[in-house]
Amino acid sequence: MMNLKLSPVIAGTMNWGVWQANFTTAQMIQLMHECISYGITTFDHADIYGGYTTEEEFGRAFAESGINREDIQLISKCGIQHTLGSRPTKVKHYDYSKEYIIWSAENSLKFLQTDYLDILLLHRPSPLMQPDEIAEAVEKLKSEGKIKEFGVSNFTNSQTDLIRSRTEVACNQIEFSATHFEPMLDGSMDYMTVNGIKPLAWSPIGSVFKADTEQSQRLKMLLLEFVEKYEASADVILLAWIMQHPAGIIPVTGSCSTDRLKNQMKATQLQLELEDWFAIWTESMGAKVP
């Protein structure tokens, strides 16, 4: 069970750096302050973002921002050894040795210019994970006050059980949206609810506006109707759809736009009518519910 309170929408920083927006320090500072003013106080990182550069850029901005560390929550992920960026990695792989987890977490602390992470996540599961070694790293980081909570990302239920057999898992960040709804059918959401694991959802808008498929076309047609009915934008409706699930899913939004981030917080106040919630699922499936 996670004892940490996160904001109802999490700001994902993956695109803040060179991978997309390429914000300056001043622009990052402004975006941080605006996020906080909207009620978005949790910032989601991973060491690999920007080819291992975005954490350092964010940390530089945070150090100059005047923001109180206790007023925000910082999440980061470790484990992926990427061929992108400055590291001499020849083959993309995962490293979950005790030494690497500790080194990576401490590296994130240095780059983010903070004394602790609110949550450290294992970014993706590895067939070579040693649960005892992972647990030793996690317990050491916790005992030294370097992380408050520990979780996983993109883990199946059995993979999560493997880690939970040795140390507590507070959350699992997975892909979930109206166009990628399998986790609510394959037992993932039920598993997390039963075991007190908080689900975080990356790509929460899904592929509605990214892909021109029959699925996205059906959803766009329905959303045109709902935008008028609810007087809300399509992305707000899609986020509200996620947040209405009883598992208490927190979306991690990848938007870099201050106006869009502000608007997306309206999803926390939007309750879809029961039939409308099912209508979105129906159009995504292209069939009636069983």
Side-chain angles (χ1 to χ4, degrees):
M1 182 70 69
M2 187 162 66
N3 298 313
L4 185 68
K5 184 174 174 57
L6 306 177
S7 56
V9 172
I10 295 172
T13 66
M14 185 176 77
N15 296 324
W16 286 28
V18 297
W19 280 359
Q20 185 175 316
N22 208 16
F23 287 136
T24 64
T25 299
Q27 288 172 323
M28 280 199 185
I29 291 171
Q30 182 179 353
L31 186 51
M32 288 180 208
H33 279 290
E34 290 185 350
C35 281
I36 293 168
S37 72
Y38 306 149
I40 300 173
T41 60
T42 307
F43 298 88
D44 179 75
H45 291 269
D47 57 352
I48 65 168
Y49 291 167
Y52 302 99
T53 63
T54 303
E55 281 189 328
E56 188 170 13
E57 290 167 355
F58 182 98
R60 192 178 303 120
F62 172 60
E64 296 179 20
S65 69
I67 294 169
N68 188 330
R69 178 64 181 88
E70 273 59 55
D71 291 340
I72 64 169
Q73 303 81 47
L74 296 176
I75 301 171
S76 195
K77 312 176 197 73
C78 72
I80 299 178
Q81 289 276 36
H82 220 301
T83 54
L84 301 173
S86 57
R87 295 186 186 182
T89 307
K90 295 179 181 178
V91 177
K92 182 184 176 184
H93 63 281
Y94 310 122
D95 188 344
Y96 290 125
S97 63
K98 176 181 177 180
E99 292 75 20
Y100 182 76
I101 292 171
I102 292 170
W103 177 85
S104 187
E106 290 177 342
N107 215 39
S108 290
L109 293 178
K110 179 179 71 176
F111 284 153
L112 292 168
Q113 300 200 35
T114 182
D115 295 329
Y116 66 93
L117 292 173
D118 293 275
I119 309 176
L120 175 69
L121 305 177
L122 304 186
H123 205 155
R124 287 190 177 273
S126 168
L128 300 181
M129 293 184 299
Q130 296 276 6
D132 288 324
E133 205 163 338
I134 290 169
E136 287 175 16
V138 169
E139 295 311 314
K140 185 174 191 298
L141 288 167
K142 281 187 174 180
S143 68
E144 294 174 353
K146 293 176 180 175
I147 66 172
K148 287 189 174 182
E149 299 277 9
F150 166 74
V152 295
S153 181
N154 304 298
F155 275 51
T156 65
N157 298 344
S158 61
Q159 290 163 342
T160 306
D161 270 337
L162 178 67
I163 306 304
R164 286 182 66 239
S165 70
R166 300 296 189 273
T167 192
E168 185 178 357
V169 173
C171 56
N172 188 4
Q173 186 175 136
I174 60 171
E175 183 178 7
F176 184 72
S177 65
T179 57
H180 187 85
F181 51 77
E182 287 76 13
M184 72 181 188
L185 304 180
D186 64 12
S188 296
M189 291 303 176
D190 301 335
Y191 170 86
M192 285 190 263
T193 301
V194 168
N195 291 288
I197 298 171
K198 174 61 71 174
L200 313 179
W202 61 267
S203 192
I205 307 298
S207 59
V208 177
F209 305 107
K210 295 178 182 177
D212 187 20
T213 62
E214 290 184 3
Q215 180 193 45
S216 63
Q217 288 169 8
R218 290 192 304 266
L219 281 166
K220 284 175 186 175
M221 288 296 294
L222 179 65
L223 287 166
L224 283 173
E225 175 189 332
F226 286 175
V227 163
E228 185 175 349
K229 177 177 179 178
Y230 289 100
E231 298 181 338
S233 61
D235 55 345
V236 167
I237 292 167
L238 291 168
L239 290 179
W241 187 86
I242 284 178
M243 297 168 82
Q244 209 157 316
H245 192 282
I249 303 159
I250 304 179
V252 181
T253 177
S255 178
C256 299
S257 163
T258 56
D259 289 341
R260 195 173 178 201
L261 286 164
K262 182 179 182 180
N263 184 56
Q264 287 180 349
M265 282 297 286
K266 294 177 182 176
T268 64
Q269 306 298 322
L270 178 59
Q271 183 80 7
L272 299 173
E273 293 179 11
L274 184 62
E275 287 194 13
D276 291 345
W277 191 94
F278 276 90
I280 290 173
W281 185 23
T282 298
E283 291 306 316
S284 183
M285 288 189 294
K288 295 178 182 178
V289 297

PDB file of all heavy atoms in Angstrom, residues 142-164:
ATOM      1  N   LYS A 142      16.032   2.772   0.706  1.00  0.00           N
ATOM      2  CA  LYS A 142      14.998   3.241   1.646  1.00  0.00           C
ATOM      3  C   LYS A 142      15.604   3.571   2.999  1.00  0.00           C
ATOM      4  O   LYS A 142      15.288   4.611   3.598  1.00  0.00           O
ATOM      5  CB  LYS A 142      13.910   2.181   1.806  1.00  0.00           C
ATOM      6  CG  LYS A 142      12.895   2.137   0.679  1.00  0.00           C
ATOM      7  CD  LYS A 142      11.766   1.163   1.010  1.00  0.00           C
ATOM      8  CE  LYS A 142      10.661   1.212  -0.022  1.00  0.00           C
ATOM      9  NZ  LYS A 142       9.560   0.265   0.283  1.00  0.00           N
ATOM     10  N   SER A 143      16.466   2.706   3.496  1.00  0.00           N
ATOM     11  CA  SER A 143      17.048   2.912   4.835  1.00  0.00           C
ATOM     12  C   SER A 143      17.913   4.165   4.881  1.00  0.00           C
ATOM     13  O   SER A 143      18.048   4.796   5.931  1.00  0.00           O
ATOM     14  CB  SER A 143      17.875   1.687   5.251  1.00  0.00           C
ATOM     15  OG  SER A 143      19.031   1.564   4.441  1.00  0.00           O
ATOM     16  N   GLU A 144      18.479   4.527   3.737  1.00  0.00           N
ATOM     17  CA  GLU A 144      19.311   5.736   3.660  1.00  0.00           C
ATOM     18  C   GLU A 144      18.500   6.977   3.317  1.00  0.00           C
ATOM     19  O   GLU A 144      19.053   8.073   3.184  1.00  0.00           O
ATOM     20  CB  GLU A 144      20.423   5.527   2.621  1.00  0.00           C
ATOM     21  CG  GLU A 144      21.435   4.452   3.029  1.00  0.00           C
ATOM     22  CD  GLU A 144      22.447   4.147   1.932  1.00  0.00           C
ATOM     23  OE1 GLU A 144      22.278   4.668   0.803  1.00  0.00           O
ATOM     24  OE2 GLU A 144      23.404   3.410   2.216  1.00  0.00           O
ATOM     25  N   GLY A 145      17.182   6.812   3.169  1.00  0.00           N
ATOM     26  CA  GLY A 145      16.301   7.944   2.885  1.00  0.00           C
ATOM     27  C   GLY A 145      16.394   8.456   1.459  1.00  0.00           C
ATOM     28  O   GLY A 145      15.941   9.571   1.166  1.00  0.00           O
ATOM     29  N   LYS A 146      16.948   7.647   0.571  1.00  0.00           N
ATOM     30  CA  LYS A 146      17.126   8.101  -0.814  1.00  0.00           C
ATOM     31  C   LYS A 146      15.895   7.860  -1.682  1.00  0.00           C
ATOM     32  O   LYS A 146      15.728   8.502  -2.715  1.00  0.00           O
ATOM     33  CB  LYS A 146      18.358   7.436  -1.428  1.00  0.00           C
ATOM     34  CG  LYS A 146      19.645   7.907  -0.752  1.00  0.00           C
ATOM     35  CD  LYS A 146      20.872   7.187  -1.269  1.00  0.00           C
ATOM     36  CE  LYS A 146      22.130   7.705  -0.568  1.00  0.00           C
ATOM     37  NZ  LYS A 146      23.347   6.950  -0.960  1.00  0.00           N
ATOM     38  N   ILE A 147      15.049   6.923  -1.277  1.00  0.00           N
ATOM     39  CA  ILE A 147      13.754   6.738  -1.926  1.00  0.00           C
ATOM     40  C   ILE A 147      12.692   6.529  -0.845  1.00  0.00           C
ATOM     41  O   ILE A 147      12.967   5.937   0.199  1.00  0.00           O
ATOM     42  CB  ILE A 147      13.733   5.557  -2.927  1.00  0.00           C
ATOM     43  CG1 ILE A 147      13.917   4.215  -2.219  1.00  0.00           C
ATOM     44  CG2 ILE A 147      14.772   5.740  -4.007  1.00  0.00           C
ATOM     45  CD1 ILE A 147      13.715   3.003  -3.135  1.00  0.00           C
ATOM     46  N   LYS A 148      11.492   7.045  -1.108  1.00  0.00           N
ATOM     47  CA  LYS A 148      10.395   6.851  -0.164  1.00  0.00           C
ATOM     48  C   LYS A 148       9.600   5.591  -0.480  1.00  0.00           C
ATOM     49  O   LYS A 148       9.200   4.852   0.408  1.00  0.00           O
ATOM     50  CB  LYS A 148       9.469   8.069  -0.174  1.00  0.00           C
ATOM     51  CG  LYS A 148      10.035   9.299   0.502  1.00  0.00           C
ATOM     52  CD  LYS A 148       8.968  10.382   0.630  1.00  0.00           C
ATOM     53  CE  LYS A 148       9.458  11.567   1.435  1.00  0.00           C
ATOM     54  NZ  LYS A 148       8.401  12.598   1.607  1.00  0.00           N
ATOM     55  N   GLU A 149       9.324   5.397  -1.770  1.00  0.00           N
ATOM     56  CA  GLU A 149       8.535   4.249  -2.206  1.00  0.00           C
ATOM     57  C   GLU A 149       9.232   3.598  -3.394  1.00  0.00           C
ATOM     58  O   GLU A 149      10.020   4.222  -4.110  1.00  0.00           O
ATOM     59  CB  GLU A 149       7.120   4.673  -2.619  1.00  0.00           C
ATOM     60  CG  GLU A 149       6.289   5.314  -1.518  1.00  0.00           C
ATOM     61  CD  GLU A 149       5.603   4.287  -0.618  1.00  0.00           C
ATOM     62  OE1 GLU A 149       5.910   3.088  -0.742  1.00  0.00           O
ATOM     63  OE2 GLU A 149       4.764   4.697   0.205  1.00  0.00           O
ATOM     64  N   PHE A 150       8.873   2.333  -3.609  1.00  0.00           N
ATOM     65  CA  PHE A 150       9.441   1.565  -4.710  1.00  0.00           C
ATOM     66  C   PHE A 150       8.316   0.935  -5.510  1.00  0.00           C
ATOM     67  O   PHE A 150       7.300   0.497  -4.955  1.00  0.00           O
ATOM     68  CB  PHE A 150      10.375   0.476  -4.161  1.00  0.00           C
ATOM     69  CG  PHE A 150      10.739  -0.566  -5.181  1.00  0.00           C
ATOM     70  CD1 PHE A 150      11.632  -0.271  -6.202  1.00  0.00           C
ATOM     71  CD2 PHE A 150      10.177  -1.836  -5.127  1.00  0.00           C
ATOM     72  CE1 PHE A 150      11.968  -1.226  -7.152  1.00  0.00           C
ATOM     73  CE2 PHE A 150      10.507  -2.795  -6.071  1.00  0.00           C
ATOM     74  CZ  PHE A 150      11.404  -2.497  -7.085  1.00  0.00           C
ATOM     75  N   GLY A 151       8.482   0.921  -6.832  1.00  0.00           N
ATOM     76  CA  GLY A 151       7.471   0.292  -7.674  1.00  0.00           C
ATOM     77  C   GLY A 151       8.076  -0.253  -8.952  1.00  0.00           C
ATOM     78  O   GLY A 151       9.310  -0.309  -9.117  1.00  0.00           O
ATOM     79  N   VAL A 152       7.203  -0.651  -9.859  1.00  0.00           N
ATOM     80  CA  VAL A 152       7.625  -1.234 -11.122  1.00  0.00           C
ATOM     81  C   VAL A 152       6.894  -0.539 -12.264  1.00  0.00           C
ATOM     82  O   VAL A 152       5.994   0.269 -12.044  1.00  0.00           O
ATOM     83  CB  VAL A 152       7.365  -2.759 -11.150  1.00  0.00           C
ATOM     84  CG1 VAL A 152       8.222  -3.465 -10.108  1.00  0.00           C
ATOM     85  CG2 VAL A 152       5.876  -3.068 -10.913  1.00  0.00           C
ATOM     86  N   SER A 153       7.278  -0.861 -13.479  1.00  0.00           N
ATOM     87  CA  SER A 153       6.657  -0.265 -14.657  1.00  0.00           C
ATOM     88  C   SER A 153       6.606  -1.321 -15.757  1.00  0.00           C
ATOM     89  O   SER A 153       7.618  -1.982 -16.022  1.00  0.00           O
ATOM     90  CB  SER A 153       7.462   0.953 -15.111  1.00  0.00           C
ATOM     91  OG  SER A 153       6.872   1.570 -16.228  1.00  0.00           O
ATOM     92  N   ASN A 154       5.437  -1.495 -16.344  1.00  0.00           N
ATOM     93  CA  ASN A 154       5.240  -2.455 -17.439  1.00  0.00           C
ATOM     94  C   ASN A 154       5.403  -3.907 -16.985  1.00  0.00           C
ATOM     95  O   ASN A 154       5.746  -4.773 -17.800  1.00  0.00           O
ATOM     96  CB  ASN A 154       6.199  -2.152 -18.599  1.00  0.00           C
ATOM     97  CG  ASN A 154       6.062  -0.733 -19.110  1.00  0.00           C
ATOM     98  OD1 ASN A 154       5.014  -0.335 -19.590  1.00  0.00           O
ATOM     99  ND2 ASN A 154       7.131   0.057 -18.981  1.00  0.00           N
ATOM    100  N   PHE A 155       5.139  -4.179 -15.726  1.00  0.00           N
ATOM    101  CA  PHE A 155       5.266  -5.532 -15.181  1.00  0.00           C
ATOM    102  C   PHE A 155       3.925  -6.248 -15.230  1.00  0.00           C
ATOM    103  O   PHE A 155       2.873  -5.654 -14.993  1.00  0.00           O
ATOM    104  CB  PHE A 155       5.749  -5.496 -13.733  1.00  0.00           C
ATOM    105  CG  PHE A 155       7.246  -5.420 -13.565  1.00  0.00           C
ATOM    106  CD1 PHE A 155       7.987  -4.463 -14.248  1.00  0.00           C
ATOM    107  CD2 PHE A 155       7.901  -6.285 -12.719  1.00  0.00           C
ATOM    108  CE1 PHE A 155       9.365  -4.381 -14.094  1.00  0.00           C
ATOM    109  CE2 PHE A 155       9.283  -6.216 -12.549  1.00  0.00           C
ATOM    110  CZ  PHE A 155      10.017  -5.257 -13.241  1.00  0.00           C
ATOM    111  N   THR A 156       3.964  -7.548 -15.540  1.00  0.00           N
ATOM    112  CA  THR A 156       2.771  -8.387 -15.448  1.00  0.00           C
ATOM    113  C   THR A 156       2.506  -8.715 -13.977  1.00  0.00           C
ATOM    114  O   THR A 156       3.342  -8.442 -13.100  1.00  0.00           O
ATOM    115  CB  THR A 156       2.956  -9.701 -16.220  1.00  0.00           C
ATOM    116  OG1 THR A 156       3.995 -10.464 -15.579  1.00  0.00           O
ATOM    117  CG2 THR A 156       3.326  -9.444 -17.672  1.00  0.00           C
ATOM    118  N   ASN A 157       1.369  -9.345 -13.716  1.00  0.00           N
ATOM    119  CA  ASN A 157       1.050  -9.714 -12.334  1.00  0.00           C
ATOM    120  C   ASN A 157       2.067 -10.701 -11.771  1.00  0.00           C
ATOM    121  O   ASN A 157       2.502 -10.564 -10.617  1.00  0.00           O
ATOM    122  CB  ASN A 157      -0.357 -10.319 -12.266  1.00  0.00           C
ATOM    123  CG  ASN A 157      -1.434  -9.349 -12.701  1.00  0.00           C
ATOM    124  OD1 ASN A 157      -1.202  -8.147 -12.773  1.00  0.00           O
ATOM    125  ND2 ASN A 157      -2.621  -9.853 -12.997  1.00  0.00           N
ATOM    126  N   SER A 158       2.458 -11.691 -12.560  1.00  0.00           N
ATOM    127  CA  SER A 158       3.398 -12.692 -12.053  1.00  0.00           C
ATOM    128  C   SER A 158       4.778 -12.077 -11.834  1.00  0.00           C
ATOM    129  O   SER A 158       5.475 -12.424 -10.865  1.00  0.00           O
ATOM    130  CB  SER A 158       3.485 -13.881 -13.014  1.00  0.00           C
ATOM    131  OG  SER A 158       3.942 -13.476 -14.290  1.00  0.00           O
ATOM    132  N   GLN A 159       5.182 -11.170 -12.702  1.00  0.00           N
ATOM    133  CA  GLN A 159       6.468 -10.490 -12.519  1.00  0.00           C
ATOM    134  C   GLN A 159       6.447  -9.611 -11.272  1.00  0.00           C
ATOM    135  O   GLN A 159       7.430  -9.530 -10.534  1.00  0.00           O
ATOM    136  CB  GLN A 159       6.801  -9.661 -13.756  1.00  0.00           C
ATOM    137  CG  GLN A 159       7.145 -10.500 -14.976  1.00  0.00           C
ATOM    138  CD  GLN A 159       7.073  -9.720 -16.272  1.00  0.00           C
ATOM    139  OE1 GLN A 159       6.453  -8.649 -16.348  1.00  0.00           O
ATOM    140  NE2 GLN A 159       7.685 -10.241 -17.313  1.00  0.00           N
ATOM    141  N   THR A 160       5.287  -8.970 -11.037  1.00  0.00           N
ATOM    142  CA  THR A 160       5.146  -8.159  -9.826  1.00  0.00           C
ATOM    143  C   THR A 160       5.192  -9.044  -8.592  1.00  0.00           C
ATOM    144  O   THR A 160       5.826  -8.701  -7.585  1.00  0.00           O
ATOM    145  CB  THR A 160       3.828  -7.363  -9.858  1.00  0.00           C
ATOM    146  OG1 THR A 160       3.763  -6.603 -11.074  1.00  0.00           O
ATOM    147  CG2 THR A 160       3.726  -6.421  -8.679  1.00  0.00           C
ATOM    148  N   ASP A 161       4.537 -10.198  -8.654  1.00  0.00           N
ATOM    149  CA  ASP A 161       4.570 -11.148  -7.531  1.00  0.00           C
ATOM    150  C   ASP A 161       5.997 -11.586  -7.219  1.00  0.00           C
ATOM    151  O   ASP A 161       6.362 -11.764  -6.053  1.00  0.00           O
ATOM    152  CB  ASP A 161       3.711 -12.371  -7.841  1.00  0.00           C
ATOM    153  CG  ASP A 161       2.275 -12.208  -7.390  1.00  0.00           C
ATOM    154  OD1 ASP A 161       2.022 -11.397  -6.478  1.00  0.00           O
ATOM    155  OD2 ASP A 161       1.392 -12.907  -7.936  1.00  0.00           O
ATOM    156  N   LEU A 162       6.783 -11.789  -8.272  1.00  0.00           N
ATOM    157  CA  LEU A 162       8.183 -12.192  -8.087  1.00  0.00           C
ATOM    158  C   LEU A 162       8.920 -11.166  -7.232  1.00  0.00           C
ATOM    159  O   LEU A 162       9.631 -11.518  -6.284  1.00  0.00           O
ATOM    160  CB  LEU A 162       8.863 -12.334  -9.449  1.00  0.00           C
ATOM    161  CG  LEU A 162      10.350 -12.696  -9.437  1.00  0.00           C
ATOM    162  CD1 LEU A 162      10.555 -14.103  -8.895  1.00  0.00           C
ATOM    163  CD2 LEU A 162      10.944 -12.563 -10.841  1.00  0.00           C
ATOM    164  N   ILE A 163       8.733  -9.880  -7.551  1.00  0.00           N
ATOM    165  CA  ILE A 163       9.399  -8.825  -6.784  1.00  0.00           C
ATOM    166  C   ILE A 163       8.770  -8.681  -5.401  1.00  0.00           C
ATOM    167  O   ILE A 163       9.474  -8.502  -4.401  1.00  0.00           O
ATOM    168  CB  ILE A 163       9.348  -7.491  -7.552  1.00  0.00           C
ATOM    169  CG1 ILE A 163       9.902  -7.644  -8.970  1.00  0.00           C
ATOM    170  CG2 ILE A 163      10.115  -6.410  -6.795  1.00  0.00           C
ATOM    171  CD1 ILE A 163      11.305  -8.187  -9.037  1.00  0.00           C
ATOM    172  N   ARG A 164       7.440  -8.772  -5.328  1.00  0.00           N
ATOM    173  CA  ARG A 164       6.732  -8.619  -4.049  1.00  0.00           C
ATOM    174  C   ARG A 164       7.066  -9.741  -3.068  1.00  0.00           C
ATOM    175  O   ARG A 164       6.856  -9.580  -1.861  1.00  0.00           O
ATOM    176  CB  ARG A 164       5.217  -8.601  -4.269  1.00  0.00           C
ATOM    177  CG  ARG A 164       4.681  -7.309  -4.867  1.00  0.00           C
ATOM    178  CD  ARG A 164       3.168  -7.345  -5.021  1.00  0.00           C
ATOM    179  NE  ARG A 164       2.496  -7.387  -3.734  1.00  0.00           N
ATOM    180  CZ  ARG A 164       1.669  -8.349  -3.344  1.00  0.00           C
ATOM    181  NH1 ARG A 164       1.422  -9.378  -4.124  1.00  0.00           N
ATOM    182  NH2 ARG A 164       1.094  -8.281  -2.166  1.00  0.00           N
TER     183      ARG A 164
END
